[in-house]
Amino acid sequence: MNDVKRLIDKLYSTHSLTVSEYEEILRNITEEDRQYLKSLAREVREKHYGKDVYIRGLIEVSNICKNDCYYCGIRAGNHSCDRYRLTDDEILLCCDEGYRLGFRTFVMQGGEDSSFTDDRLCGLIGAVKEKYPDCAVTLSLGERSRESYKKLKEAGIDRYLLRHETADKEHYQKLHPENISWDNRMECLRNLKDLGYQVGCGFMVGSPYQTTEMLAGELKFIEEFKPHMCGIGPFIPHAKTKFRDFPPGDINMTLTLLSLIRLIAPKVLLPATTALGTLKSGGREEGILCGANVVMPNLSPKSVRKKYMLYDNKLSDGEESAQAVESLKARIKSIGYEIVTKRGDCIEKCI
């Protein structure tokens, strides 16, 4: 047995490796090793979640953002971005349509837009929960104070997604302006866990200046932080950012990392992201086959979908849209899995 396969077996048994061991896998993995890793990841996800794939209705509530993150197409400094902000009524109409289509989780995602105050969000959450008490509501609206997160939790929010982007502090500063703090991002994640949220973090694969050692560190961070959800996807450049000439992240590396995360955290909710499908036709299905168990079709109004362009050529219509859920079900069924109408919570005592 080669060293990589031995380390994969160790991870399967213990859910833990050292950073140097993770790095050894990432540097030396062969195609044969990838297939072996993939088979173990599928075995583990099916042990805990069977063949179920959970769907989330993604509502991109605003592309207005106060931040100027160097990799992001909706950064404040992109003056060619066509800005929009959904009204509460528009968001509730998205939930109405999503519920009719079979969605039982709504994910409200947006830039850090000051219009979404605690009072506004608490009212909006209350309205959704009153109408659809059997649904979960997830927010992904960036960094907020602990007091804000507490109010939102008390209003009924179930989950919060806050990608950390990179667990390496020096790398983080290369991707963000000086006024955006890695320490604050990490404090936000800790606050969310302390307050009882189902918490999602995540990172970009192949982002500018990232090394294999950093990716190994990401895996160790996931192991130690123990998120309920983990969203990873390949970096894809946007033409209106300073990283426009950098190459996209590697699909095979992203798929390998998905499988490793499944072995690290057997019960984690693991999306096959839009970015996978953007870079490669069938990429989302490949993510499912590598251990992912969540997909997030777009419920946003058609008039704004192409305005929420975090990276170039981001999928938003066709089979990426929530309205094409029947087609998506067929594609997922063709690879041996099934989209189900459930809230799709992380299993209790997740990791």
Side-chain angles (χ1 to χ4, degrees):
M1 181 181 293
N2 66 39
D3 286 343
V4 168
K5 193 166 287 188
R6 175 183 59 79
L7 289 173
I8 290 171
D9 283 342
K10 180 180 176 182
L11 183 61
Y12 173 80
S13 300
T14 66
H15 316 302
S16 176
L17 295 175
T18 65
V19 172
S20 61
E21 287 173 328
Y22 285 127
E23 186 177 359
E24 183 172 348
I25 292 175
L26 296 178
R27 287 192 184 281
N28 300 306
I29 192 166
T30 65
E31 184 55 35
E32 182 181 346
D33 295 330
R34 288 182 200 278
Q35 294 304 317
Y36 180 64
L37 171 62
K38 176 180 172 180
S39 69
L40 291 183
R42 290 183 66 181
E43 175 192 324
V44 169
R45 73 88 77 199
E46 290 175 17
K47 175 183 177 182
H48 296 291
Y49 291 103
K51 300 285 189 177
D52 291 355
V53 175
Y54 302 134
I55 52 172
R56 318 302 201 196
L58 179 63
I59 307 169
E60 293 160 337
V61 298
S62 172
N63 71 351
I64 297 169
C65 189
K66 69 179 185 181
N67 296 327
D68 203 27
C69 304
Y70 297 150
Y71 50 83
C72 184
I74 65 169
R75 64 190 184 88
N78 180 9
H79 300 298
S80 64
C81 182
D82 185 4
R83 304 291 176 176
Y84 74 90
R85 175 188 294 134
L86 298 185
T87 66
D88 290 3
D89 286 344
E90 287 173 320
I91 294 168
L92 291 170
L93 283 173
C94 292
C95 294
D96 291 342
E97 182 175 20
Y99 195 87
R100 179 181 59 80
L101 291 169
F103 291 82
R104 296 299 179 265
T105 288
F106 305 119
V107 180
M108 300 179 195
Q109 181 182 71
E112 293 199 16
D113 180 347
S114 60
S115 169
F116 287 90
T117 62
D118 292 345
D119 287 345
R120 180 183 177 188
L121 286 170
C122 287
L124 184 58
I125 295 158
V128 174
K129 286 288 192 171
E130 182 177 4
K131 193 166 188 179
Y132 302 116
D134 56 331
C135 291
V137 178
T138 302
L139 288 186
S140 182
L141 297 175
E143 297 177 8
R144 304 175 78 93
S145 68
R146 182 183 178 92
E147 292 72 24
S148 174
Y149 290 142
K150 186 173 186 292
K151 288 178 183 177
L152 298 176
K153 186 72 174 66
E154 290 169 349
I157 288 293
D158 302 281
R159 311 177 188 132
Y160 203 99
L161 304 178
L162 185 67
R163 280 193 172 195
H164 63 282
E165 303 300 0
T166 172
D168 184 283
K169 185 173 181 177
E170 290 186 14
H171 184 219
Y172 189 89
Q173 292 310 140
K174 290 181 179 180
L175 303 178
H176 301 87
E178 290 183 1
N179 66 321
I180 300 178
S181 162
W182 180 88
D183 291 318
N184 190 63
R185 179 62 58 118
M186 291 298 161
E187 183 179 357
C188 286
L189 284 169
R190 290 191 295 270
N191 285 338
L192 288 163
K193 282 197 86 173
D194 288 345
L195 291 166
Y197 282 88
Q198 292 181 47
V199 181
C201 62
F203 59 93
M204 293 182 289
V205 180
S207 59
Y209 313 115
Q210 188 179 66
T211 65
T212 305
E213 183 180 7
M214 288 175 186
L215 284 174
E218 298 296 343
L219 294 174
K220 194 65 180 179
F221 174 80
I222 299 302
E223 177 191 316
E224 293 175 346
F225 181 67
K226 296 179 169 53
H228 301 87
M229 305 165 280
C230 184
I232 73 167
F235 164 77
I236 303 176
H238 189 286
K240 298 297 183 179
T241 70
K242 68 182 293 183
F243 295 145
R244 59 186 174 274
D245 295 325
F246 280 75
D250 183 74
I251 285 283
N252 285 333
M253 177 62 79
T254 305
L255 296 171
T256 295
L257 290 163
L258 280 172
S259 293
L260 290 170
I261 290 169
R262 177 57 68 195
L263 298 191
I264 291 167
K267 301 176 186 178
V268 75
L269 295 167
L270 194 60
T273 61
T274 301
L276 276 173
T278 298
L279 275 190
K280 183 178 182 180
S281 176
R284 182 167 44 196
E285 289 89 335
E286 289 193 38
I288 297 294
L289 291 171
C290 287
N293 65 330
V294 174
V295 292
M296 298 173 63
N298 201 316
L299 266 178
S300 307
K302 291 182 180 180
S303 61
V304 303
R305 286 180 191 167
K306 292 189 180 300
K307 298 178 182 180
Y308 199 84
M309 200 59 60
L310 303 179
Y311 46 81
D312 285 346
N313 303 313
K314 176 176 171 283
L315 296 181
S316 60
D317 292 321
E319 292 192 356
E320 184 60 27
S321 71
Q323 290 74 17
V325 68
E326 292 303 320
S327 175
L328 178 60
K329 286 179 179 179
R331 290 182 66 171
I332 297 300
K333 188 174 183 178
S334 74
I335 60 171
Y337 290 87
E338 181 182 6
I339 285 179
V340 294
T341 301
K342 295 180 181 178
R343 279 173 48 115
D345 290 301
C346 184
I347 297 171
E348 190 178 358
K349 297 180 180 177
C350 177
I351 300 171

